[in-house]
Amino acid sequence: MPDSFSPDSLKRIRRLAFAVRALCLLGLLVIGTMPFLFWAQPDWVAHVVLQQWAIPKIQLDLVSRLGGLAGSLLPASVSVYALCQMWSLFGCFAQGELLAHQPAGHLRRLGVALSALAFAQPVGRTLSILALTWGNPKGERQLWVGLSSDHYLSLLFGLLLLALAQVLSEGARLAKENAEFV
Amino acid sequence: MPIVVTLDVMLARRKMRSRELAERVGITEANLSLLKSGKVRGVRFDTLSRICEVLQCQPGELLAWEPGPEPEGRDDAG
């Protein structure tokens, strides 16, 4: 642990780490279960698809919903991976491991996950909608492709984290070198 | 090892223990031990200055250069 971090600063980081890890647990619980709960209930699916996705005709049989679930599991699994990296990153911070290569690695993988999420979200929705309309008669099947500012921000934020991970890695190298001076 | 730390010689001359020197200089005994054995990348000027002040000597009396291969990890500095 570098001497340059004051005890007060470390205490604040530990408090923040505790809060973030609690949020990660909550996120893992919700993201890990929500797709299964959502696709298990045809009424809920119908409501969301009609109201939010504005798709007039869909199939709600088990196979279509399983296809929809598979599509939504793509971004969900990337999100779970990102949350796991966040959990590990703040675990390092909670242990006072700040300027080190391990948290830099977690931050880099978190950046990769957020960048990947920018692509996984629209692809996942495209696959889900395709699965729900695949059983429609010819001419009523939909290949929906959409990008929003959320995806753009996710990509930008992911790239920012990748850059910060590089900076943290360099900081870790300098801290190690500094520790070798008496 | 091109740079040899001769701190132990000076300590013997001054009849001072490592622990006392570490306390008076303000570094840990472990770091002083690493310095004595030359297993450090470098010495800060303020540390060197305090050691010289306590031991009443010049930096040249604590460090010597000897021909030989550079230890790993030193040639990438700077």
Side-chain angles (χ1 to χ4, degrees), chain A residues 176-182, chain B residues 27 40-44 47:
Chain A
K176 183 174 178 289
E177 193 174 292
N178 192 43
E180 287 171 355
F181 278 74
V182 176
Chain B
I27 60 174
V40 291
R41 191 182 282 266
V43 190
R44 293 189 184 90
T47 307

Side-chain angles (χ1 to χ4, degrees), chain B residues 21-72:
Chain B
L21 179 64
E23 279 174 7
R24 290 176 65 180
V25 169
I27 60 174
T28 63
E29 227 181 319
N31 271 348
L32 187 67
S33 175
L34 286 172
L35 178 60
K36 276 167 60 183
S37 58
K39 292 175 182 170
V40 291
R41 191 182 282 266
V43 190
R44 293 189 184 90
F45 277 175
D46 58 345
T47 307
L48 190 58
S49 171
R50 287 201 299 272
I51 291 173
C52 289
E53 188 184 349
V54 172
L55 294 176
Q56 288 296 298
C57 65
Q58 293 298 316
E61 294 175 86
L62 302 173
L63 304 169
W65 180 82
E66 283 180 6
E70 193 75 32
E72 275 185 41

Side-chain angles (χ1 to χ4, degrees), chain A residues 131-142:
Chain A
L132 288 176
T133 58
W134 192 254
N136 288 352
K138 280 185 180 174
E140 292 182 11
R141 293 171 187 162
Q142 290 201 21

Side-chain angles (χ1 to χ4, degrees), chain A residues 35-36 39 62-77 120 123-125 127-129 131:
Chain A
F36 297 97
W39 291 101
L62 183 63
V63 176
S64 300
R65 282 186 289 124
L66 281 176
L69 172 67
S72 66
L73 281 182
L74 178 68
S77 55
V123 170
R125 183 171 288 194
L127 292 176
S128 292
I129 291 175

Side-chain angles (χ1 to χ4, degrees), chain B residues 6-16 55 57 61:
Chain B
T6 55
L7 185 56
D8 48 353
V9 176
M10 188 54 70
L11 277 170
R13 276 191 206 157
R14 299 291 186 255
K15 295 183 174 58
M16 190 183 288
L55 294 176
C57 65
E61 294 175 86

Side-chain angles (χ1 to χ4, degrees), chain A residues 9-174:
Chain A
S9 172
L10 280 174
K11 211 180 276 181
R12 276 198 299 273
I13 289 170
R14 286 201 174 102
R15 273 202 300 268
L16 180 67
F18 180 79
V20 172
R21 291 187 105 198
L23 284 173
C24 284
L25 271 186
L26 185 68
L28 282 169
L29 189 72
V30 172
I31 295 171
T33 56
M34 194 55 82
F36 297 97
L37 289 175
F38 174 72
W39 291 101
Q41 298 176 59
D43 293 343
W44 192 3
V45 175
H47 176 77
V48 169
V49 170
L50 291 172
Q51 298 295 318
Q52 293 181 18
W53 298 358
I55 295 170
K57 190 173 182 184
I58 55 167
Q59 305 299 316
L60 288 171
D61 57 284
L62 183 63
V63 176
S64 300
R65 282 186 289 124
L66 281 176
L69 172 67
S72 66
L73 281 182
L74 178 68
S77 55
V78 176
S79 300
V80 164
Y81 178 74
L83 284 173
C84 288
Q85 292 305 320
M86 185 88 103
W87 169 271
S88 303
L89 174 67
F90 277 86
C92 290
F93 289 167
Q95 287 171 6
E97 205 179 343
L98 302 170
L99 287 174
H101 287 291
Q102 202 177 343
H106 290 306
L107 192 62
R108 188 178 61 250
R109 287 188 285 277
L110 179 61
V112 170
L114 281 181
S115 304
L117 196 60
F119 297 98
Q121 279 179 329
V123 170
R125 183 171 288 194
T126 299
L127 292 176
S128 292
I129 291 175
L130 190 64
L132 288 176
T133 58
W134 192 254
N136 288 352
K138 280 185 180 174
E140 292 182 11
R141 293 171 187 162
Q142 290 201 21
L143 182 65
W144 183 93
V145 179
L147 290 170
S148 75
S149 57
D150 287 352
H151 306 140
Y152 169 73
L153 286 175
S154 178
L155 178 63
L156 274 191
F157 196 60
L159 294 175
L160 172 69
L161 290 189
L162 278 175
L164 288 179
Q166 190 62 40
V167 172
L168 185 59
S169 187
E170 190 63 18
R173 190 187 65 75
L174 290 174

